[in-house]
């Protein structure tokens, strides 16, 4: 009688290096149990003599046989007698699952994710939302569904276009740090008084972005600009659209009575065009007309100090002849302009800090206080000294002009 083929169990199986464990091996054994005892496996000739029956599988044992003494299994499950066929089945199952898993994170979705990340970076937010906002903005412009006040202020255009053009300069180039934004009231009028410097009025634009982007109410700063701004061809239209108006008491009072946040830089061209050797030294604040306007409208005065703008165009000289020719209050000479031509107009990437101080209340003064020259002078001097003192403090805290 031919020797019967014995399937090892328990420790014998482990010594022979039994293959699969867990559910995979149990599945193969389950398929083996479906065949009748002694029946040949597919593709295998029957052998002489009866085959020994498979050991009983205890309920809940996941197809793992018990050991000879009935104790629970202590090792890996053993291989099946039809291991080659089962291996082929397992390979086919893996092959069929492979393309599906790869397709879930294929090149198409990876490229889409990369495109979305780049678009979010360029647009400053989730690109789907930005595109939807852009399409909605175009629809409003085409249909005329937007408002412009009597000063020419177009809030929709300012929010969607003008401020968006300034933000890369504000966030990435000058890296503006804002302090004390909570000192600007959430509603009602307020007069923001700031120092002025930098040869070109970039500090006014950066302050406008700071108020709108950092204030919880997203308020707009309505700047009072000099006459020169409103005689330049393109600048005139852009200034009106952005909410700027002529620096006169009538316009300022009307805006404050309407509850707007108004910005004024009393140094004017004296501060903007001062030489680099006098940086961060405030010039005269005029006769205090802004204080009289605040007293008439009972709005708080918020001192504002800007550090970093003085160094963007170091003004080492002033060509008065060229200034008269072009009709400018001054013609700056810097280390790069006009020697490098248009390239000299590129500002230096200084690090900025804008701090809004504690508001100075005016509602407690009587109505005739605006006509008291001594009171107006004292309040003007108080605002100027507050801004100057804050500038010195910020300069002491600053580690570097550029970092």
């Amino acid at each position: 009688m031919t020797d019967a083929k014995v399937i090892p169990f328990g420790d014998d199986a482990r010594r022979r290096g039994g293959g699969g464990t867990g559910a995979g091996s149990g599945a193969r054994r389950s398929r083996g149990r479906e065949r009748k005892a002694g029946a040949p496996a597919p593709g295998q000739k029957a052998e002489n003599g009866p085959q020994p029956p498979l050991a009983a599988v205890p309920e809940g044992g996941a197809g793992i046989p018990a050991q000879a003494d009935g104790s629970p299994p202590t090792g890996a499950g053993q291989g099946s007698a039809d291991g080659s066929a089962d291996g082929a089945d397992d390979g086919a199952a893996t092959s069929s699952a492979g393309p599906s898993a790869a397709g879930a994170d294929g090149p198409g979705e990876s490229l889409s994710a990369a495109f979305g990340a780049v678009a979010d970076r360029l647009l400053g937010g989730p690109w789907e939302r930005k595109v939807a906002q852009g399409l909605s903005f175009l629809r409003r412009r085409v249909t005329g569904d937007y408002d412009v006040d009597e000063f020419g202020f177009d809030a929709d255009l300012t929010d969607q276009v003008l401020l968006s053009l300034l933000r890369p300069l504000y966030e990435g180039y000058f890296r503006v740090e804002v302090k004390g934004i909570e000192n600007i009231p959430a509603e009602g009028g307020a007069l923001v008084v700031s120092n002025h410097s930098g040869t070109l009025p970039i500090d006014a634009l950066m302050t406008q972005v700071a108020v709108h982007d950092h204030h919880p109410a997203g308020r707009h700063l309505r700047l009072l600009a000099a006459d020169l701004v409103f005689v330049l061809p393109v600048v005139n239209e852009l200034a009106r659209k952005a909410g700027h108006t002529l620096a006169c008491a009538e316009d300022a009072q009307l805006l404050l009575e309407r509850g707007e946040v108004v910005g004024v830089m009393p140094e004017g061209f004296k501060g903007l065009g001062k030489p680099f050797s006098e940086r961060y030294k405030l010039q005269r604040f005029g006769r205090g007309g802004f204080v009289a306007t605040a007293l008439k409208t009972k709005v708080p005065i918020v001192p504002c100090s800007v550090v970093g703008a003085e160094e963007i165009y170091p003004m080492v000289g002033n060509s008065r002849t060229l200034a008269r020719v072009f009709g400018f209050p001054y013609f700056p000479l810097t280390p790069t302009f006009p020697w490098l031509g248009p390239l000299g107009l590129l500002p230096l990437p200084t690090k900025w800090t804008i701090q809004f101080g504690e508001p100075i209340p005016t509602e407690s003064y009587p109505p005739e206080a605006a006509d008291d020259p001594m009171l107006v002078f004292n309040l003007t001097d108080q605002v100027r000294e507050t801004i100057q003192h804050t500038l010195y403090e910020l300069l002491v805290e600053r580690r570097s002009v550029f970092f």
Side-chain angles (χ1 to χ4, degrees):
M1 180 177 181
T2 306
D3 293 337
K5 184 176 180 180
V6 178
I7 301 177
F9 294 94
D11 293 338
D12 292 337
R14 287 194 296 274
R15 283 194 295 270
R16 290 186 55 183
T21 61
S25 299
R28 288 192 291 271
R29 285 190 293 273
S30 298
R31 290 194 295 270
R33 288 194 301 272
E34 291 177 0
R35 294 191 294 270
K36 294 181 179 180
Q44 180 180 357
K45 294 181 179 181
E47 298 181 0
N48 296 329
Q51 299 291 336
L54 294 175
V57 180
E59 184 178 356
I64 301 177
Q67 296 187 26
D69 57 357
S71 61
T74 59
Q78 70 280 2
S80 174
D82 55 344
S84 59
D86 290 338
D89 294 342
D90 291 345
T94 304
S95 175
S96 62
S100 175
D105 191 18
E109 292 193 4
S110 300
L111 183 61
S112 177
F115 171 78
V118 173
D120 290 349
R121 181 68 174 175
L122 294 177
L123 296 175
W127 67 272
E128 298 95 339
R129 178 171 57 84
K130 292 292 184 180
V131 170
Q133 290 178 350
L135 294 176
S136 178
F137 170 74
L138 292 177
R139 180 190 60 79
R140 292 194 300 271
R141 306 311 291 188
V142 171
T143 59
D145 186 18
Y146 59 92
D147 297 325
V148 178
D149 67 8
E150 63 268 30
F151 295 96
F153 175 46
D154 189 339
D156 190 40
L157 181 68
T158 300
D159 290 343
Q160 300 296 328
V161 178
L162 301 182
L163 293 182
S164 298
L165 294 175
L166 293 174
R167 283 191 185 99
L169 192 65
Y170 175 90
E171 297 175 352
Y173 199 76
F174 294 133
R175 296 147 292 150
V176 180
E177 179 183 0
V178 179
K179 300 179 179 180
I181 192 66
E182 67 278 359
N183 290 318
I184 298 178
E187 58 183 11
L191 183 64
V192 176
V193 183
S194 175
N195 60 310
H196 205 16
S197 62
T199 306
L200 292 179
I202 299 178
D203 55 348
L205 301 176
M206 296 297 103
T207 305
Q208 183 180 12
V209 178
V211 172
H212 181 269
D213 287 3
H214 291 271
H215 196 278
R219 306 202 66 180
H220 287 281
L221 181 65
R222 308 292 296 272
L223 291 166
L224 303 180
D227 301 355
L228 179 61
V229 173
F230 300 101
V231 299
L232 299 176
V234 179
V235 177
N236 173 30
E237 292 297 326
L238 292 177
R240 289 290 185 185
K241 296 292 186 182
H244 307 168
T245 188
L246 190 64
C248 63
E250 292 77 12
D251 287 358
Q253 182 173 344
L254 182 58
L255 287 171
L256 290 173
E257 289 174 346
R258 290 173 46 184
E260 300 283 354
V261 179
V262 177
V264 61
M265 298 176 171
E267 292 179 281
F269 289 121
K270 301 187 302 293
L272 195 62
K274 65 176 177 286
F276 186 67
S277 59
E278 299 180 11
R279 59 191 180 277
Y280 298 113
K281 296 179 180 178
L282 294 182
Q283 305 298 303
R284 193 172 64 90
F285 269 21
R287 292 173 295 181
F290 66 93
V291 171
T293 303
L295 289 171
K296 290 179 181 178
T297 56
K298 305 293 185 181
V299 300
I301 301 174
V302 182
C304 177
S305 305
V306 181
V307 167
E310 296 273 13
E311 296 89 359
I312 60 174
Y313 296 112
M315 186 171 167
V316 297
N318 179 20
S319 177
R320 292 182 173 83
T321 302
L322 291 176
R324 285 194 297 270
V325 169
F326 291 104
F328 296 156
Y330 56 90
F331 191 90
L333 302 176
T334 73
T336 58
F337 182 82
W339 329 115
L340 299 182
L343 187 61
L345 294 175
L346 184 68
L348 297 179
T350 58
K351 176 70 172 64
W352 287 35
T353 301
I354 300 178
Q355 178 164 330
F356 298 93
E358 294 184 3
I360 300 173
T362 61
E363 68 273 5
S364 60
Y365 293 97
E368 62 273 10
D371 300 323
D372 185 349
M374 287 304 298
L375 177 61
V376 171
F377 175 80
N378 290 335
L379 283 177
T380 302
D381 190 60
Q382 178 184 352
V383 174
R384 184 181 181 277
E385 288 301 320
T386 300
I387 297 174
Q388 183 69 82
H389 183 69
T390 305
L391 288 175
Y392 288 150
E393 289 181 342
L394 293 175
L395 289 173
V396 170
E397 296 173 359
R398 184 170 68 168
R399 296 180 302 168
S400 169
V401 174
F402 299 101
F403 303 102

PDB file of all heavy atoms in Angstrom, residues 98-126:
ATOM      1  N   GLY A  98      -5.284  46.158  -7.627  1.00  0.00           N
ATOM      2  CA  GLY A  98      -4.226  47.133  -7.854  1.00  0.00           C
ATOM      3  C   GLY A  98      -4.637  48.325  -8.684  1.00  0.00           C
ATOM      4  O   GLY A  98      -4.497  49.464  -8.277  1.00  0.00           O
ATOM      5  N   PRO A  99      -5.183  48.137  -9.917  1.00  0.00           N
ATOM      6  CA  PRO A  99      -5.519  49.287 -10.741  1.00  0.00           C
ATOM      7  C   PRO A  99      -6.535  50.199 -10.089  1.00  0.00           C
ATOM      8  O   PRO A  99      -6.478  51.404 -10.214  1.00  0.00           O
ATOM      9  CB  PRO A  99      -6.088  48.643 -12.016  1.00  0.00           C
ATOM     10  CG  PRO A  99      -5.535  47.259 -12.028  1.00  0.00           C
ATOM     11  CD  PRO A  99      -5.410  46.868 -10.613  1.00  0.00           C
ATOM     12  N   SER A 100      -7.491  49.648  -9.336  1.00  0.00           N
ATOM     13  CA  SER A 100      -8.500  50.482  -8.680  1.00  0.00           C
ATOM     14  C   SER A 100      -7.863  51.379  -7.647  1.00  0.00           C
ATOM     15  O   SER A 100      -8.181  52.554  -7.539  1.00  0.00           O
ATOM     16  CB  SER A 100      -9.558  49.590  -8.042  1.00  0.00           C
ATOM     17  OG  SER A 100     -10.485  50.363  -7.313  1.00  0.00           O
ATOM     18  N   ALA A 101      -6.947  50.801  -6.835  1.00  0.00           N
ATOM     19  CA  ALA A 101      -6.295  51.607  -5.807  1.00  0.00           C
ATOM     20  C   ALA A 101      -5.430  52.681  -6.434  1.00  0.00           C
ATOM     21  O   ALA A 101      -5.348  53.802  -5.957  1.00  0.00           O
ATOM     22  CB  ALA A 101      -5.466  50.701  -4.890  1.00  0.00           C
ATOM     23  N   ALA A 102      -4.730  52.341  -7.518  1.00  0.00           N
ATOM     24  CA  ALA A 102      -3.885  53.335  -8.165  1.00  0.00           C
ATOM     25  C   ALA A 102      -4.707  54.437  -8.782  1.00  0.00           C
ATOM     26  O   ALA A 102      -4.330  55.599  -8.780  1.00  0.00           O
ATOM     27  CB  ALA A 102      -3.020  52.649  -9.236  1.00  0.00           C
ATOM     28  N   GLY A 103      -5.879  54.062  -9.326  1.00  0.00           N
ATOM     29  CA  GLY A 103      -6.713  55.075  -9.960  1.00  0.00           C
ATOM     30  C   GLY A 103      -7.251  56.084  -8.978  1.00  0.00           C
ATOM     31  O   GLY A 103      -7.569  57.207  -9.329  1.00  0.00           O
ATOM     32  N   ALA A 104      -7.370  55.691  -7.675  1.00  0.00           N
ATOM     33  CA  ALA A 104      -7.902  56.620  -6.683  1.00  0.00           C
ATOM     34  C   ALA A 104      -6.970  57.794  -6.465  1.00  0.00           C
ATOM     35  O   ALA A 104      -7.382  58.856  -6.059  1.00  0.00           O
ATOM     36  CB  ALA A 104      -8.138  55.883  -5.370  1.00  0.00           C
ATOM     37  N   ASP A 105      -5.683  57.633  -6.719  1.00  0.00           N
ATOM     38  CA  ASP A 105      -4.721  58.724  -6.535  1.00  0.00           C
ATOM     39  C   ASP A 105      -3.791  58.744  -7.734  1.00  0.00           C
ATOM     40  O   ASP A 105      -2.576  58.735  -7.606  1.00  0.00           O
ATOM     41  CB  ASP A 105      -3.956  58.512  -5.223  1.00  0.00           C
ATOM     42  CG  ASP A 105      -3.150  59.749  -4.853  1.00  0.00           C
ATOM     43  OD1 ASP A 105      -3.444  60.818  -5.399  1.00  0.00           O
ATOM     44  OD2 ASP A 105      -2.218  59.616  -4.028  1.00  0.00           O
ATOM     45  N   GLY A 106      -4.364  58.764  -8.903  1.00  0.00           N
ATOM     46  CA  GLY A 106      -3.586  58.698 -10.123  1.00  0.00           C
ATOM     47  C   GLY A 106      -2.974  60.030 -10.502  1.00  0.00           C
ATOM     48  O   GLY A 106      -3.115  61.034  -9.817  1.00  0.00           O
ATOM     49  N   PRO A 107      -2.286  60.077 -11.655  1.00  0.00           N
ATOM     50  CA  PRO A 107      -1.629  61.316 -12.097  1.00  0.00           C
ATOM     51  C   PRO A 107      -2.603  62.463 -12.297  1.00  0.00           C
ATOM     52  O   PRO A 107      -2.272  63.613 -12.045  1.00  0.00           O
ATOM     53  CB  PRO A 107      -0.970  60.885 -13.413  1.00  0.00           C
ATOM     54  CG  PRO A 107      -0.871  59.403 -13.343  1.00  0.00           C
ATOM     55  CD  PRO A 107      -2.044  58.948 -12.544  1.00  0.00           C
ATOM     56  N   GLY A 108      -3.826  62.145 -12.763  1.00  0.00           N
ATOM     57  CA  GLY A 108      -4.795  63.217 -13.005  1.00  0.00           C
ATOM     58  C   GLY A 108      -5.149  63.972 -11.741  1.00  0.00           C
ATOM     59  O   GLY A 108      -5.151  65.202 -11.718  1.00  0.00           O
ATOM     60  N   GLU A 109      -5.443  63.207 -10.650  1.00  0.00           N
ATOM     61  CA  GLU A 109      -5.806  63.865  -9.403  1.00  0.00           C
ATOM     62  C   GLU A 109      -4.603  64.559  -8.775  1.00  0.00           C
ATOM     63  O   GLU A 109      -4.741  65.613  -8.152  1.00  0.00           O
ATOM     64  CB  GLU A 109      -6.402  62.849  -8.441  1.00  0.00           C
ATOM     65  CG  GLU A 109      -7.761  62.319  -8.899  1.00  0.00           C
ATOM     66  CD  GLU A 109      -8.479  61.571  -7.787  1.00  0.00           C
ATOM     67  OE1 GLU A 109      -7.929  61.547  -6.681  1.00  0.00           O
ATOM     68  OE2 GLU A 109      -9.564  61.043  -8.049  1.00  0.00           O
ATOM     69  N   SER A 110      -3.414  63.998  -8.919  1.00  0.00           N
ATOM     70  CA  SER A 110      -2.224  64.664  -8.386  1.00  0.00           C
ATOM     71  C   SER A 110      -1.981  65.986  -9.089  1.00  0.00           C
ATOM     72  O   SER A 110      -1.648  66.991  -8.470  1.00  0.00           O
ATOM     73  CB  SER A 110      -1.005  63.750  -8.541  1.00  0.00           C
ATOM     74  OG  SER A 110      -1.201  62.540  -7.832  1.00  0.00           O
ATOM     75  N   LEU A 111      -2.168  65.997 -10.425  1.00  0.00           N
ATOM     76  CA  LEU A 111      -1.989  67.233 -11.183  1.00  0.00           C
ATOM     77  C   LEU A 111      -3.040  68.255 -10.790  1.00  0.00           C
ATOM     78  O   LEU A 111      -2.745  69.450 -10.648  1.00  0.00           O
ATOM     79  CB  LEU A 111      -2.081  66.925 -12.680  1.00  0.00           C
ATOM     80  CG  LEU A 111      -1.847  68.117 -13.629  1.00  0.00           C
ATOM     81  CD1 LEU A 111      -0.449  68.678 -13.413  1.00  0.00           C
ATOM     82  CD2 LEU A 111      -2.027  67.684 -15.075  1.00  0.00           C
ATOM     83  N   SER A 112      -4.273  67.791 -10.565  1.00  0.00           N
ATOM     84  CA  SER A 112      -5.332  68.707 -10.147  1.00  0.00           C
ATOM     85  C   SER A 112      -5.032  69.307  -8.783  1.00  0.00           C
ATOM     86  O   SER A 112      -5.251  70.501  -8.558  1.00  0.00           O
ATOM     87  CB  SER A 112      -6.669  67.967 -10.117  1.00  0.00           C
ATOM     88  OG  SER A 112      -7.701  68.801  -9.647  1.00  0.00           O
ATOM     89  N   ALA A 113      -4.522  68.485  -7.859  1.00  0.00           N
ATOM     90  CA  ALA A 113      -4.184  68.999  -6.529  1.00  0.00           C
ATOM     91  C   ALA A 113      -3.051  70.011  -6.606  1.00  0.00           C
ATOM     92  O   ALA A 113      -3.068  71.038  -5.927  1.00  0.00           O
ATOM     93  CB  ALA A 113      -3.809  67.841  -5.601  1.00  0.00           C
ATOM     94  N   ALA A 114      -2.060  69.731  -7.465  1.00  0.00           N
ATOM     95  CA  ALA A 114      -0.948  70.669  -7.621  1.00  0.00           C
ATOM     96  C   ALA A 114      -1.416  71.986  -8.212  1.00  0.00           C
ATOM     97  O   ALA A 114      -1.013  73.068  -7.789  1.00  0.00           O
ATOM     98  CB  ALA A 114       0.141  70.040  -8.501  1.00  0.00           C
ATOM     99  N   PHE A 115      -2.301  71.911  -9.205  1.00  0.00           N
ATOM    100  CA  PHE A 115      -2.852  73.129  -9.799  1.00  0.00           C
ATOM    101  C   PHE A 115      -3.628  73.940  -8.773  1.00  0.00           C
ATOM    102  O   PHE A 115      -3.519  75.169  -8.699  1.00  0.00           O
ATOM    103  CB  PHE A 115      -3.760  72.770 -10.972  1.00  0.00           C
ATOM    104  CG  PHE A 115      -4.544  73.940 -11.512  1.00  0.00           C
ATOM    105  CD1 PHE A 115      -3.950  74.870 -12.340  1.00  0.00           C
ATOM    106  CD2 PHE A 115      -5.880  74.116 -11.159  1.00  0.00           C
ATOM    107  CE1 PHE A 115      -4.673  75.952 -12.824  1.00  0.00           C
ATOM    108  CE2 PHE A 115      -6.606  75.187 -11.633  1.00  0.00           C
ATOM    109  CZ  PHE A 115      -5.995  76.106 -12.476  1.00  0.00           C
ATOM    110  N   GLY A 116      -4.427  73.255  -7.951  1.00  0.00           N
ATOM    111  CA  GLY A 116      -5.197  73.955  -6.930  1.00  0.00           C
ATOM    112  C   GLY A 116      -4.297  74.650  -5.924  1.00  0.00           C
ATOM    113  O   GLY A 116      -4.584  75.774  -5.504  1.00  0.00           O
ATOM    114  N   ALA A 117      -3.192  73.993  -5.532  1.00  0.00           N
ATOM    115  CA  ALA A 117      -2.277  74.610  -4.565  1.00  0.00           C
ATOM    116  C   ALA A 117      -1.625  75.854  -5.139  1.00  0.00           C
ATOM    117  O   ALA A 117      -1.504  76.883  -4.470  1.00  0.00           O
ATOM    118  CB  ALA A 117      -1.214  73.589  -4.140  1.00  0.00           C
ATOM    119  N   VAL A 118      -1.189  75.776  -6.414  1.00  0.00           N
ATOM    120  CA  VAL A 118      -0.576  76.941  -7.054  1.00  0.00           C
ATOM    121  C   VAL A 118      -1.582  78.068  -7.210  1.00  0.00           C
ATOM    122  O   VAL A 118      -1.291  79.243  -6.961  1.00  0.00           O
ATOM    123  CB  VAL A 118       0.022  76.538  -8.422  1.00  0.00           C
ATOM    124  CG1 VAL A 118       0.506  77.767  -9.174  1.00  0.00           C
ATOM    125  CG2 VAL A 118       1.153  75.550  -8.226  1.00  0.00           C
ATOM    126  N   ALA A 119      -2.807  77.734  -7.608  1.00  0.00           N
ATOM    127  CA  ALA A 119      -3.844  78.756  -7.773  1.00  0.00           C
ATOM    128  C   ALA A 119      -4.180  79.420  -6.446  1.00  0.00           C
ATOM    129  O   ALA A 119      -4.361  80.641  -6.377  1.00  0.00           O
ATOM    130  CB  ALA A 119      -5.095  78.135  -8.390  1.00  0.00           C
ATOM    131  N   ASP A 120      -4.265  78.626  -5.369  1.00  0.00           N
ATOM    132  CA  ASP A 120      -4.534  79.207  -4.056  1.00  0.00           C
ATOM    133  C   ASP A 120      -3.423  80.161  -3.645  1.00  0.00           C
ATOM    134  O   ASP A 120      -3.677  81.219  -3.059  1.00  0.00           O
ATOM    135  CB  ASP A 120      -4.669  78.096  -3.008  1.00  0.00           C
ATOM    136  CG  ASP A 120      -5.941  77.276  -3.196  1.00  0.00           C
ATOM    137  OD1 ASP A 120      -6.793  77.715  -3.989  1.00  0.00           O
ATOM    138  OD2 ASP A 120      -6.061  76.214  -2.565  1.00  0.00           O
ATOM    139  N   ARG A 121      -2.186  79.797  -3.975  1.00  0.00           N
ATOM    140  CA  ARG A 121      -1.050  80.648  -3.610  1.00  0.00           C
ATOM    141  C   ARG A 121      -1.091  81.971  -4.370  1.00  0.00           C
ATOM    142  O   ARG A 121      -0.853  83.039  -3.800  1.00  0.00           O
ATOM    143  CB  ARG A 121       0.260  79.894  -3.925  1.00  0.00           C
ATOM    144  CG  ARG A 121       1.517  80.668  -3.575  1.00  0.00           C
ATOM    145  CD  ARG A 121       1.665  80.818  -2.083  1.00  0.00           C
ATOM    146  NE  ARG A 121       2.935  81.426  -1.738  1.00  0.00           N
ATOM    147  CZ  ARG A 121       3.288  81.766  -0.520  1.00  0.00           C
ATOM    148  NH1 ARG A 121       2.459  81.550   0.475  1.00  0.00           N
ATOM    149  NH2 ARG A 121       4.460  82.326  -0.264  1.00  0.00           N
ATOM    150  N   LEU A 122      -1.394  81.906  -5.654  1.00  0.00           N
ATOM    151  CA  LEU A 122      -1.417  83.117  -6.475  1.00  0.00           C
ATOM    152  C   LEU A 122      -2.606  83.999  -6.151  1.00  0.00           C
ATOM    153  O   LEU A 122      -2.495  85.232  -6.152  1.00  0.00           O
ATOM    154  CB  LEU A 122      -1.427  82.741  -7.960  1.00  0.00           C
ATOM    155  CG  LEU A 122      -0.171  82.043  -8.480  1.00  0.00           C
ATOM    156  CD1 LEU A 122      -0.355  81.658  -9.951  1.00  0.00           C
ATOM    157  CD2 LEU A 122       1.056  82.949  -8.338  1.00  0.00           C
ATOM    158  N   LEU A 123      -3.760  83.396  -5.880  1.00  0.00           N
ATOM    159  CA  LEU A 123      -4.984  84.164  -5.653  1.00  0.00           C
ATOM    160  C   LEU A 123      -5.181  84.537  -4.188  1.00  0.00           C
ATOM    161  O   LEU A 123      -6.088  85.297  -3.870  1.00  0.00           O
ATOM    162  CB  LEU A 123      -6.197  83.370  -6.140  1.00  0.00           C
ATOM    163  CG  LEU A 123      -6.239  83.085  -7.648  1.00  0.00           C
ATOM    164  CD1 LEU A 123      -7.426  82.196  -7.972  1.00  0.00           C
ATOM    165  CD2 LEU A 123      -6.304  84.382  -8.453  1.00  0.00           C
ATOM    166  N   GLY A 124      -4.337  84.030  -3.300  1.00  0.00           N
ATOM    167  CA  GLY A 124      -4.459  84.385  -1.897  1.00  0.00           C
ATOM    168  C   GLY A 124      -5.601  83.713  -1.187  1.00  0.00           C
ATOM    169  O   GLY A 124      -6.150  84.270  -0.243  1.00  0.00           O
ATOM    170  N   GLY A 125      -5.993  82.525  -1.595  1.00  0.00           N
ATOM    171  CA  GLY A 125      -7.087  81.812  -0.948  1.00  0.00           C
ATOM    172  C   GLY A 125      -7.555  80.680  -1.821  1.00  0.00           C
ATOM    173  O   GLY A 125      -6.982  80.415  -2.881  1.00  0.00           O
ATOM    174  N   PRO A 126      -8.588  79.948  -1.393  1.00  0.00           N
ATOM    175  CA  PRO A 126      -9.137  78.867  -2.227  1.00  0.00           C
ATOM    176  C   PRO A 126      -9.525  79.385  -3.601  1.00  0.00           C
ATOM    177  O   PRO A 126     -10.332  80.304  -3.726  1.00  0.00           O
ATOM    178  CB  PRO A 126     -10.356  78.407  -1.413  1.00  0.00           C
ATOM    179  CG  PRO A 126     -10.059  78.814  -0.008  1.00  0.00           C
ATOM    180  CD  PRO A 126      -9.272  80.083  -0.108  1.00  0.00           C
TER     181      PRO A 126
END
